[in-house]
Amino acid sequence: MRKEIIYTMNTAYRGEYSIKGFSFGTGEKAACIMGAMRGNEFQQLYICSLLSKKLSELETRGAIVSGKQILLIPSLNYSSFNVGKKYWISDNSDVNRAFPGNPEGQATSRIAAAVMDHVKDYAYGIQFASFYMDGEFIPHVRMMETGKQSTSLANLFGLPYVLTAEPRAYDKATLNYNWQIGGTEAFSVYSGVTEKIDSESAAHAVSAVLRFLTRMGIIRYNCHAGYISTVLDEEELLSVKSDKSGGFLKRFVSPGDEVVRGNVIANVINPMTGEIAADIYAPTDGIIFYAQNAPMIYQNSVVFKLIRRLHN
């Protein structure tokens, strides 16, 4: 393992700020793995720490294929971790909404430009991302529909689902989108949670990446075959909302659970009286893909996203 400085800049209050990367193996730029971009992505940073340790062990054993290089960048925004903020501490901007970046722009834009320049030539790009909604979700690989995406390659991670999505305006300023546009096969890996550590799902995420790197001929590693992934379009997910009332959320199901049409899957509790203000029902048979985990929910908020079960 070799440590390298990806980018350095001076900041007004904290002196020099450096983004560090760790390289494994030598040769062609085979795979770049990106970790936390926001100061609340504890799970994503934790996964990177596990992966760094595992790749170091594999390198010591000579299990990284000769002529292949892997770059791991655990965090682009560790300053926000240090002060308990989600976004960049000086202007509350989001690094993952600043790509491809501007070397003469604001801090996050300069970081994005420098990182993009450093990682653009890797054949495969893997990002441990956080879901765009707060809550818990089924582990999956997400890909932008840029016309250059490959769901067959995404299947090689062996996670339960591959989710494709039409890029929205703000998606075009993300690393994943710009990687794909630049010719890198890019994948966002979602491991279930963000602001807390889930050791089990973190271990699955590490295994998924090692499985992919093995199948692409970058490392030699014996691992479980994983799942035969189901490919879904994000538009196929059915949103279930708290239409009638807001209040305390009492969930009865979690991501991965099967539900039957008409079942009560959550209650909304009146915070003043303790009475049930509303029941939330499953609108169809299916599987819970996403579940809100906030203690309180507002009226008309999305509580669940459901994978519809198709009947023959």
Side-chain angles (χ1 to χ4, degrees), residues 65-287:
V65 172
S66 177
K68 304 288 185 180
Q69 178 185 331
I70 303 167
L71 173 64
L72 172 66
I73 305 176
S75 175
L76 296 188
N77 192 2
Y78 58 83
S79 286
S80 292
F81 277 106
N82 293 340
V83 297
K85 289 190 64 175
K86 182 176 181 179
Y87 298 124
W88 189 253
I89 56 177
S90 61
D91 61 4
N92 210 38
S93 59
D94 186 351
V95 177
N96 203 31
R97 296 291 184 270
F99 287 90
N102 176 3
E104 304 299 326
Q106 298 297 317
T108 48
S109 188
R110 298 201 305 274
I111 289 171
V115 170
M116 194 76 244
D117 185 63
H118 199 91
V119 306
K120 61 182 174 59
D121 294 326
Y122 281 83
Y124 304 103
I126 302 167
Q127 179 191 358
F128 294 118
S130 56
F131 202 59
Y132 65 94
M133 298 173 65
D134 293 335
E136 302 170 5
F137 43 87
I138 291 177
H140 62 283
V141 180
R142 189 171 187 265
M143 304 188 72
M144 303 280 187
E145 293 179 347
T146 61
K148 300 184 178 184
Q149 76 278 6
S150 172
T151 55
S152 60
L153 285 179
N155 287 334
L156 300 182
F157 285 89
L159 287 174
Y161 293 93
V162 172
L163 190 68
T164 61
E166 187 73 26
R168 291 154 290 201
Y170 59 79
D171 286 325
K172 295 181 180 181
T174 63
L175 172 63
N176 185 298
Y177 180 87
N178 284 276
W179 246 341
Q180 283 195 49
I181 294 301
T184 295
E185 297 282 359
F187 313 90
S188 294
V189 175
Y190 293 80
S191 67
V193 296
T194 298
E195 296 187 30
K196 63 180 182 179
I197 290 174
D198 183 329
S199 297
E200 183 177 354
S201 64
H204 287 314
V206 170
S207 294
V209 171
L210 296 176
R211 188 181 298 121
F212 178 82
L213 295 177
T214 299
R215 289 170 171 173
M216 300 315 300
I218 298 171
I219 64 173
R220 290 182 289 270
Y221 182 71
N222 293 322
C223 56
H224 188 273
Y227 295 86
I228 299 174
S229 303
T230 299
V231 179
L232 295 171
D233 189 283
E234 192 172 45
E235 294 298 318
E236 298 176 38
L237 298 177
L238 178 63
S239 293
V240 182
K241 297 183 178 182
S242 55
D243 290 331
K244 296 181 180 179
S245 183
F248 290 123
L249 176 65
K250 184 178 181 181
R251 263 176 34 195
F252 303 124
V253 293
S254 298
D257 289 348
E258 296 187 20
V259 297
V260 176
R261 184 179 182 273
N263 281 1
V264 176
I265 54 179
N267 294 145
V268 180
I269 309 296
N270 186 309
M272 300 299 173
T273 68
E275 300 293 328
I276 295 176
D279 293 318
I280 298 176
Y281 297 91
T284 184
D285 295 356
I287 298 170

